[in-house]
Amino acid sequence: MATNSAMPPGRDRAEALMQFYARKENRYDAELDANGDVSFGEFGFRHEPEKDALVGRVFVAKAWRDGAPEAQIDAFMKVGRALNDPAIGGLFDQGGGYFHLDPDKRMYFLKKDFPLATTTREALDEGMEKLRDLAATWTTRWFARVADITHGRAHPPLRPVKQDDPDDTI
């Protein structure tokens, strides 16, 4: 197995890390596109040279439907902002990641930056598995709750909520 120092810098390194993870998922022809992006259904990667990182992303929820009224779109955008607000979405475990609402795809993604200078294959594997597991928890347990908090239909938790908490309704 190649070590961190033996791997090429920049986009080549991002491509090599992504291909390692793709092969683990039985995807043998994966390549970053011209924009540095690749998608595998519910998850994907993007090389972001300005961050010198490979950014992993996992689908969490859909947003508005095509042709939705402006007020509905605004409500979804408000939730998108609240997900990264330390007093709302930040009270729920994000595993060192952050949320992104893609307005073109009309989807919310949980993302995490993997710095190219320090991320090993093992760290990418571990980090993406944690991110995928955490995104499932967001989809099934926390996303609707954060939306309710955002729109004043629920109160935020009294303490930060971790994925393994037995009762995350506090």
Side-chain angles (χ1 to χ4, degrees), residues 23-126:
R23 284 189 300 274
K24 182 183 160 294
E25 295 292 314
N26 297 316
R27 310 284 178 111
Y28 297 97
D29 59 349
E31 291 183 16
L32 295 173
D33 66 15
N35 296 318
D37 195 81
V38 65
S39 185
F40 303 99
E42 86 281 355
F43 72 95
F45 295 98
R46 181 176 196 82
H47 172 230
E48 294 193 10
E50 63 281 357
K51 292 182 177 182
D52 194 32
L54 180 65
V55 178
R57 69 175 175 275
V58 184
F59 170 80
V60 172
K62 289 189 175 192
W64 62 92
R65 295 177 186 233
D66 195 23
E70 198 63 37
Q72 190 179 65
I73 294 170
D74 289 344
F76 279 101
M77 298 293 269
K78 185 176 180 182
V79 171
R81 289 186 299 276
L83 287 164
N84 290 312
D85 181 336
I88 303 174
L91 289 173
F92 297 84
D93 190 358
Q94 295 183 8
Y98 54 93
F99 278 91
H100 173 73
L101 169 57
D102 184 322
D104 296 326
K105 294 179 182 177
R106 299 182 311 275
M107 296 178 181
Y108 298 92
F109 294 96
L110 181 58
K111 294 177 143 187
K112 184 168 183 171
D113 297 348
F114 295 95
L116 294 174
T118 58
T119 300
T120 63
R121 291 175 174 182
E122 295 79 14
L124 179 67
D125 184 31
E126 183 179 312

Side-chain angles (χ1 to χ4, degrees), residues 58-61 83 92-95 99 110 129-146 161-168:
V58 184
F59 170 80
V60 172
L83 287 164
F92 297 84
D93 190 358
Q94 295 183 8
F99 278 91
L110 181 58
E129 291 304 307
K130 168 82 173 151
L131 196 67
R132 291 173 73 183
D133 189 48
L134 197 52
T137 300
W138 270 96
T139 299
T140 59
R141 290 173 37 200
W142 298 337
F143 188 84
R145 184 165 177 208
V146 168
V161 178
K162 297 294 180 196
Q163 187 178 21
D164 57 356
D165 285 346
D167 181 15
D168 60 17

